[in-house]
Amino acid sequence: MLKRSLATAALALAATAVFAHQGVQNPAVMARMHSMMGLDKDLKLMISMAKGEIAMDASAAQAAALRIQRGTPQISPLFQAPETDPKSEALPAIWDEFDTFTALARDLEKAAAKAAPTIQDRPTLAQATAYIGGACRACHKRYRQQNK
Ligand code: HEC
């Protein structure tokens, strides 16, 4: 189970290894990408710690999960206007289904809030990370261009 959670978390990391934000012209697109980068930084910290690449520190990991929780309310407002850029990976369906998009942002907020206090050691961190990463992927799968 632990192994599986770690594998899932590692996949989440691999899926976000390449960033589109270099060369973005539209500041509104840049702003939403920056917000994503902030979430990514904290998830990566949790992944590195779960994998043992950096020392386990439960309170630092909880703080990262709580920063993700606090960062999520800005997702919906940042994406509300249907802004585009040649470098954007956002799919047009976001603006046809903005309620669903917003609900997926809310799911991430709830996942991070639920997972944060469960983090005590590496196994519980691995589980929390996979749980939060799953909420990121649920939205990316539907609303972010893949393989770009
Ligand atoms: C409600 C939907 C949603 C959720 C939840 C979400 N994302 Fe995203 N994310 C997107 C969309 C849409 C894009 C593409 C934005 C664009 O290119 O205009 C994106 C882009 C990104 C990018 C690329 C940014 C860049 O500079 O190219 C990263 C990294 C990222 N997300 C990480 C995360 C992480 C980590 C989480 C969870 C902690 C997360 N996202 C949760 C919708 C979401």
Side-chain angles (χ1 to χ4, degrees), residues 19-21 32-33 36 40 88-89 101 136 139-140 144:
F19 302 125
H21 59 272
R32 71 193 186 204
M33 284 175 167
M36 286 293 152
D40 201 59
S88 174
E89 298 169 335
F101 182 84
C136 307
C139 186
H140 288 172
R144 182 183 175 197

Side-chain angles (χ1 to χ4, degrees), residues 75-113:
I75 295 177
S76 185
L78 280 172
F79 277 87
Q80 191 151 24
E83 298 282 353
T84 56
D85 187 280
K87 294 272 185 172
S88 174
E89 298 169 335
L91 294 177
I94 293 171
W95 297 286
D96 296 334
E97 307 168 1
F98 202 69
D99 287 354
T100 310
F101 182 84
T102 300
L104 287 169
R106 182 91 183 100
D107 284 351
L108 172 60
E109 184 179 359
K110 282 188 270 186

